[in-house]
């Protein structure tokens, strides 16, 4: 109904056809071949995937030739839209043909600006630029596509044979050839939605706040600004003695919008969960954050702690011989812990001591996720809570003297969050101004895809999580 169509080139016959820009599948009206559209995890470009691709089988990227693991027709986190594919073709040229804007297949402006990230433990090392991949030579697509089709066909033949053995011979006149789908159900969850075009936008934005998912935003910003003429400043942690955490960020951006709404479109607060202290801002979810209890190695020999002991440590004044290290009052991480422990009403009166606490005190607070992990790692009698991206033998990566604890025997894993047995988790939100800039909107859409392709032990997509989490995603 008056919708502008997107022109998509066919990799098989070379002709172009129209497509609904939001669709994640396309069928050529000239040769009849159909394709699903998926984003490659190796080069981040939108690839054609053959319409006969087998379920959960590797598929080859149209651009770089790398194989991507698994495939699903519905709710595939790698799903991309026809509009995104059109943007890729406009930038890089047709697959197997001439390169796009320059011979390296990159945006000419990528060297002009870069992401600036400020964090206490992870200075922003430049991430590899996903645009720097070789464009397949003519004919490569046909080769890798045939390999993908053969792999998918082998799976479907095996399935067909098994069904034939169970159900008997097919009806006369029936066909054993799997039909090409002409309509694919679009993902319903926001973090895997492909409704918006992920395209470069220029300008400058600043994201401040959460140190739990700030490093992920920082990594994505490095890639985005490597491909686009933009500047993205990511700030978190104890910067300049200000203690820039999620509570500080929500209040700062909210005040900017309230006083100068026209100039605040480029400011974004990173917050864990939801807050009522930012009424002028709107939360846009990125995924689910998983928090872990962490203790100095040996403090809990069984690497397990009960919820009743957690309440004694963090709600009732602590335990002799142990220091309970937490996060600042008002931060999303701290509020998530209190909610997990069933605290109702105002927060308990706790010391505002910075870590390490003075003699005689059993509690202290850290400004950042990394600061808390560092304090636990170097102090023998400390237990705290943090988001942990990766583990090695039960230790947070980079913190060998800290151990991740189970709670009531349940480990903090993505699988346990999804099955509902582990509940110390919340939604990672970008709190946006009422009128975000074009760059803010574009980068948010890119972040969704980046997180879907780079899920870890601490940040996952909203797909498949319990309803109480999914409702806020």
């Amino acid at each position: 109904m008056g919708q502008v169509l997107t022109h998509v080139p066919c990799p098989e016959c070379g002709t172009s056809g129209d497509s609904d820009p939001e669709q994640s599948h396309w069928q050529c009206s000239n040769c009849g071949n159909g394709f699903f559209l998926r984003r490659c995890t190796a080069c981040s470009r939108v690839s054609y995937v053959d319409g006969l691709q087998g379920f959960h089988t590797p598929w080859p990227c149209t651009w770089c030739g790398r194989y991507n693991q698994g495939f699903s027709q519905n709710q595939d986190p790698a799903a991309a839209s026809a509009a995104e594919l059109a943007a890729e073709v406009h930038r890089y040229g047709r697959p197997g043909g001439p390169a796009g804007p320059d011979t390296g297949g990159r945006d000419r402006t990528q060297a002009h600006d870069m992401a600036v990230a400020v964090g206490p433990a992870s200075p922003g090392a430049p991430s590899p630029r996903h645009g720097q991949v070789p464009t397949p030579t003519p004919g490569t697509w046909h080769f890798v596509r045939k390999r993908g089709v053969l792999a998918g066909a082998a799976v479907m033949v095996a399935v067909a044979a098994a069904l034939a053995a169970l159900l008997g011979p097919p009806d006369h006149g029936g066909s054993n050839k799997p039909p090409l789908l002409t309509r694919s159900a679009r993902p319903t969850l926001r973090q895997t939605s492909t409704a918006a075009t992920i395209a470069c936008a220029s300008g400058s934005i600043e994201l401040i706040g959460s140190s739990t998912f700030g490093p992920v935003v920082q990594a994505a910003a490095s890639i985005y600004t490597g491909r686009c003429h933009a500047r993205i400043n990511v700030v978190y942690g104890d910067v300049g003695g200000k203690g820039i955490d999620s509570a500080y960020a929500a209040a700062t951006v909210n005040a900017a919008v309230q006083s100068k709404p026209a100039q605040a479109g480029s400011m974004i607060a990173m917050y864990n969960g939801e807050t009522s202290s930012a009424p002028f801002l709107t939360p846009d979810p990125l995924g689910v954050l998983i928090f872990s209890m962490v203790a100095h190695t040996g403090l809990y020999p069984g690497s397990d702690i009960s919820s009743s002991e957690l309440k004694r440590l963090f709600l009732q004044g602590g335990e002799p011989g142990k220091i309970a290290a937490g996060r600042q009052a008002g931060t999303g991480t701290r509020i998530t812990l209190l909610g997990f422990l069933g605290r109702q009403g105002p927060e308990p009166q706790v010391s505002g001591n910075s870590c390490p606490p003075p003699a005689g005190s059993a509690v202290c607070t850290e400004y950042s996720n990394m600061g808390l992990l560092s304090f636990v790692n170097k102090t023998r009698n400390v237990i705290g809570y943090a988001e942990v991206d990766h583990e090695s033998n039960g230790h947070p990566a980079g913190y060998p003297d800290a151990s991740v604890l189970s709670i009531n025997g349940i480990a903090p894993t993505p699988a346990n969050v999804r099955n509902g047995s582990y509940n110390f988790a919340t939604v990672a939100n970008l709190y946006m101004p009422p009128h975000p800039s074009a760059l803010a909107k574009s980068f948010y859409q890119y972040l969704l895809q980046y997180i879907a392709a780079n899920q870890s032990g601490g940040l996952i997509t909203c797909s498949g999580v319990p309803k109480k989490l999914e409702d806020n995603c």
Side-chain angles (χ1 to χ4, degrees), residues 431-457:
Y431 267 79
M432 294 279 202
H435 305 289
S437 67
L439 176 57
K441 291 186 285 187
S442 174
F443 183 59
Y444 169 66
Q445 291 296 330
Y446 177 75
L447 264 177
L448 295 178
Q449 296 216 11
Y450 179 86
I451 290 170
N454 295 276
Q455 298 184 70
S456 68

Side-chain angles (χ1 to χ4, degrees), residues 71-443:
F71 171 78
S72 176
Q73 292 181 359
N74 300 323
Q75 295 193 7
D76 189 333
S81 68
E84 292 174 85
L85 173 63
E88 300 280 351
V89 172
H90 176 74
R91 178 175 297 278
Y92 302 109
R94 287 171 178 252
D102 73 25
T103 55
R106 296 171 295 159
D107 189 333
R108 291 192 185 101
T109 62
Q110 68 180 11
H112 289 245
D113 288 299
M114 62 182 293
V116 179
V118 182
S122 53
S127 300
R129 285 172 179 161
H130 285 224
Q132 296 182 3
V133 294
T135 302
T137 55
T140 302
W141 159 246
H142 300 280
F143 173 70
V144 296
R145 178 174 180 265
K146 279 188 176 181
R147 290 178 62 185
V149 172
L150 289 173
V155 173
M156 286 186 281
V157 167
V159 172
L163 289 175
L166 291 172
L167 303 177
D171 292 338
H172 294 292
S175 172
N176 289 328
K177 182 179 179 181
L180 177 64
L181 295 183
T182 58
R183 181 172 181 82
S184 174
R186 292 180 58 211
T188 56
L189 298 179
R190 294 184 63 175
Q191 82 283 356
T192 56
S193 172
T194 59
T197 300
I198 307 298
C200 286
S202 61
S204 176
I205 58 174
E206 183 174 60
L207 298 97
I208 63 175
S210 172
S211 61
T212 54
F213 66 92
V216 173
V217 176
Q218 169 187 332
S222 295
I223 296 173
Y224 187 98
T225 55
R227 296 174 57 186
C228 307
H229 185 63
R231 187 175 184 84
I232 301 175
N233 196 30
V234 183
V235 185
Y236 53 87
D238 188 13
V239 181
K242 291 183 178 180
I244 296 177
D245 53 30
S246 55
Y248 172 91
T252 300
V253 178
N254 190 74
V257 170
Q258 189 174 7
S259 60
K260 297 179 180 179
Q263 288 77 37
S266 61
M267 296 182 67
I268 301 170
M270 300 182 290
Y271 195 91
N272 310 335
E274 295 188 326
T275 178
S276 59
S277 63
F280 291 91
L281 308 180
T282 302
D284 283 317
L286 293 176
V288 172
L289 282 167
I290 304 172
F291 293 104
S292 301
M293 301 309 304
V294 288
H296 191 84
T297 298
L299 189 61
Y300 290 88
S303 295
D304 185 67
I305 190 170
S306 67
S307 55
S308 59
E309 185 171 3
L310 286 178
K311 290 179 180 179
R312 289 196 300 271
L313 285 164
F314 291 96
L315 298 182
Q316 299 167 8
E319 291 183 355
K322 295 177 182 176
I323 295 175
R327 298 295 304 281
Q328 300 290 81
T331 60
T333 302
R334 182 189 180 102
I335 291 172
T336 301
L337 174 74
L338 296 177
F340 169 69
L341 296 178
R343 180 73 188 189
Q344 301 283 331
E347 291 190 30
Q349 295 298 314
V350 296
S351 169
N353 297 321
S354 296
C355 297
S361 177
V363 294
C364 64
T365 56
E366 282 285 350
Y367 279 125
S368 71
N369 196 70
M370 294 73 69
L372 190 140
L373 286 170
S374 295
F375 182 61
V376 171
N377 188 67
K378 66 185 180 183
T379 312
R380 291 186 178 276
N381 60 336
V382 175
I383 179 174
Y385 49 95
E387 181 261 2
V388 177
D389 275 337
H390 303 285
E391 291 183 46
S392 176
N393 298 322
H395 305 284
Y399 304 94
D401 292 323
S403 295
V404 174
L405 307 182
S406 296
I407 300 176
N408 298 324
I410 308 297
T413 65
N416 286 337
V417 169
R418 289 193 170 103
N419 67 29
S421 61
Y422 188 86
N423 297 310
F424 189 14
T426 191
V427 175
N429 282 307
L430 294 186
Y431 267 79
M432 294 279 202
H435 305 289
S437 67
L439 176 57
K441 291 186 285 187
S442 174
F443 183 59

